[in-house]
Amino acid sequence: MTPIALEPEDHTRDAAFAKVLHGKSASGRGGLMSMMGKDPVAQKAAVDEYFKHWDNKDAGTETQETREARKAEYATLTRHYYNLATDLYEYGWGASFHFCRFAYGEPFNQAIARHEHYLAHSMGLKDGMKVLDVGCGVGGPAREIAKFAGVNIVGLNNNDYQIERATRYAAKEGMSSQLSFTKGDFMQMSFPANSFDAVYAIEATVHAPSLEGVYSQIFRVLKPGGVFGVYEWLMTDAYDNDNPKHREIRLGIEQGDGISNMVRISEGLAAIKAAGFVLELHEDLADRPDARPWYYPLAGDFRMIGSFGDIFTVARMTKFGRGAIHRFVGLLETVGIASKGTQKTADSLARAADALVAGGEQKLFTPMYLMVARKPQ
């Protein structure tokens, strides 16, 4: 593995910044309400720090040096992305920040939970296991998998705001004895070797500058014989980096989702093997012949809605819905209720949605490449 320069960690600095930026919004309702309680100076700092990697750097002018600069600041890039995007995610998608498959007539929230259950089932999670969730977000999947499989989960996250929200949600559901959340960089985990019976990651390790690097850390903290399951974001092997349209799709996904370096399926498979794992199962679940594609909510297609409640989720993603949010957030910025940069972040997410749909339709991208692997005894 080519050595990856790791960013120095400073948890005190990060916690102080998060406290200033988010104030009391971590204990609020989330979504649009939480967007209104940000510190404008700290918000501008986060916006500037994140978008410096993307402004005036389109697919046509992207260089390897540009990508290397993003990889060098992978932790800062990801942390500020979620400082900016978490409230928008909770508003538009819910507490589980991932995609899923859809059966005929299946409601959105049910499909999201089934996707989490399927990973737990594929890994063989059992009651009482000690499990690590790498990149846990606000804890939606951890709460669901803990209920489903009876496991005890530690959520690892490098964003203090998400950790606060995840901890609050776990307490609200009476799950504090089963779930805990800790600050850390998944490229340099502080856990002792051989700490966990199982580790999973749901659409999170894509933020790593090197998949082999993060998979090697997961291998280290797993007990011998332990299992690792992941839904990975990958470009398919149909992706051609010399094709400008392909690059535009890939860069749109990366910019709108806080990703420094997305790679192909073949590279992901090579990375998990190079980390020392024995690969037991791998499949692109996006290739399953499902009734509705994984990206249908992003496409704003009302014809595919599975339940009445899904109308509101899909409506937010239509051109009208996105335009309404753009104008509403812009109004909030103008009158000083929302901090400057909120609209720019929302627009970046909308661009990513278009790129994700295009990547899915053209079979250039998958958000659900399933890999289940084991650390040898």
Side-chain angles (χ1 to χ4, degrees):
M1 177 179 69
T2 303
I4 296 291
L6 303 177
E7 278 196 74
E9 293 189 275
D10 189 336
H11 292 187
T12 301
R13 173 204 63 197
D14 296 345
F17 183 85
K19 184 175 181 179
V20 172
L21 172 59
H22 299 291
K24 298 180 180 179
S25 58
S27 59
R29 291 174 55 189
L32 290 177
M33 295 300 296
S34 289
M35 289 187 337
M36 301 178 190
K38 309 303 179 184
D39 178 83
V41 175
Q43 175 91 354
K44 183 180 186 303
V47 168
D48 291 346
E49 187 65 33
Y50 181 71
F51 283 100
K52 74 179 185 182
H53 292 289
W54 313 103
D55 287 345
N56 303 313
K57 297 173 184 175
D58 60 24
T61 60
E62 184 187 47
T63 64
Q64 186 60 34
E65 289 73 21
T66 302
R67 295 186 67 75
E68 291 300 324
R70 294 202 295 265
K71 289 167 64 177
E73 297 186 11
Y74 67 94
T76 299
L77 184 149
T78 304
R79 185 171 59 256
H80 282 311
Y81 172 75
Y82 283 111
N83 275 332
L84 298 170
T86 294
D87 296 326
L88 290 165
Y89 271 40
E90 288 201 67
Y91 162 73
W93 205 256
S96 290
F97 300 169
H98 63 79
F99 294 106
C100 63
R101 297 168 56 206
F102 293 96
Y104 177 79
E106 186 174 34
F108 178 83
N109 288 332
Q110 182 177 316
I112 287 284
R114 180 169 65 88
H115 199 58
E116 294 159 358
H117 297 171
Y118 188 76
L119 180 61
H121 168 75
S122 298
M123 294 172 63
L125 297 186
K126 304 293 184 184
D127 189 75
M129 278 184 168
K130 183 180 180 182
V131 178
L132 177 65
D133 178 340
V134 177
C136 62
V138 297
R143 293 192 298 278
E144 189 64 37
I145 289 174
K147 296 169 190 172
F148 175 78
V151 295
N152 300 301
I153 297 177
V154 176
L156 179 67
N157 197 318
N158 85 333
N159 183 276
D160 297 84
Y161 181 57
Q162 290 194 341
I163 291 171
E164 283 192 65
R165 295 197 67 78
T167 301
R168 174 177 171 270
Y169 289 142
K172 183 179 179 180
E173 295 190 24
M175 300 184 71
S176 296
S177 63
Q178 199 175 356
L179 300 173
S180 63
F181 303 93
T182 189
K183 167 84 169 180
D185 176 0
F186 55 30
M187 292 293 293
Q188 44 188 329
M189 297 184 196
S190 60
F191 306 112
N194 308 323
S195 293
F196 296 95
D197 300 305
V199 179
Y200 69 84
I202 298 179
E203 303 184 22
T205 44
V206 67
H207 293 294
S210 161
L211 286 183
E212 184 180 343
V214 68
Y215 293 165
S216 295
Q217 282 291 297
I218 290 167
F219 185 89
R220 183 184 66 81
V221 302
L222 260 179
K223 295 177 182 178
V227 63
F228 170 46
V230 58
Y231 287 136
E232 194 60 83
W233 278 33
L234 294 164
M235 303 307 293
T236 70
D237 290 328
Y239 172 78
D240 178 6
N241 200 55
D242 293 327
N243 184 318
K245 294 295 184 182
H246 288 194
R247 282 204 313 274
E248 186 176 345
I249 289 170
R250 189 256 303 153
L251 190 63
I253 295 171
E254 288 177 334
Q255 174 179 336
D257 291 289
I259 300 166
S260 65
N261 184 52
M262 193 155 52
V263 300
R264 296 181 182 88
I265 288 172
S266 56
E267 296 170 80
L269 291 170
I272 203 166
K273 293 173 184 176
F277 284 104
V278 176
L279 193 59
E280 296 184 341
L281 170 66
H282 67 97
E283 179 188 1
D284 184 1
L285 296 183
D287 279 343
R288 292 280 186 97
D290 293 321
R292 297 173 289 169
W294 61 265
Y295 52 80
Y296 103 82
L298 294 181
D301 191 341
F302 284 107
R303 296 171 300 175
M304 295 186 180
I305 286 175
S307 72
F308 178 79
D310 295 347
I311 292 174
F312 303 102
T313 298
V314 175
R316 296 184 185 109
M317 302 309 301
T318 62
K319 287 185 178 181
F320 176 82
R322 291 188 205 173
I325 288 297
H326 173 86
R327 291 186 291 274
F328 178 65
V329 172
L331 175 62
L332 293 180
E333 285 190 10
T334 300
V335 300
I337 296 176
S339 298
K340 296 291 184 183
T342 305
Q343 187 181 61
K344 185 174 185 177
T345 303
D347 290 347
S348 181
L349 293 177
R351 177 190 174 193
D354 290 336
L356 287 162
V357 171
E361 289 177 339
Q362 297 176 42
K363 299 292 185 182
L364 297 175
F365 165 79
T366 176
M368 53 185 68
Y369 198 88
L370 171 64
M371 293 183 281
V372 177
R374 195 167 299 276
K375 181 175 180 176
Q377 288 280 2

